[in-house]
Amino acid sequence: MKPVLKTVSWLGLALTAIPSLFVLNHVITKQSHFALMTIGLVLWFATAPFWMKSASLADDANSCVD
């Protein structure tokens, strides 16, 4: 399941960056740009937190102790 989440979230991240280049080169309209970026935003924020979690805050705190 984790590889699927990563793939979907990276696709969402790409959909937030690549349409800007297309608008810059007059390949797509601004309305298409807004739609693609909205889809990308939803995909990224809906899937990325599930595979980017850290182990726990307690483990992070213990690793910083000298």
Side-chain angles (χ1 to χ4, degrees):
M1 186 69 175
K2 200 171 187 178
V4 173
L5 287 173
K6 282 185 178 184
T7 303
V8 172
S9 62
W10 284 111
L11 176 67
L13 190 61
L15 278 175
T16 61
I18 294 172
S20 299
L21 299 173
F22 288 159
V23 170
L24 183 67
N25 292 322
H26 304 289
V27 175
I28 61 174
T29 64
K30 281 191 175 184
Q31 290 80 16
S32 298
H33 172 253
F34 293 145
L36 290 171
M37 287 195 68
T38 302
I39 293 167
L41 173 114
V42 169
L43 285 175
W44 174 257
F45 283 108
T47 58
F50 295 107
W51 64 268
M52 295 184 80
K53 291 183 199 176
S54 64
S56 73
L57 293 176
D59 292 340
D60 292 342
N62 289 337
S63 66
C64 295
V65 175
D66 291 328

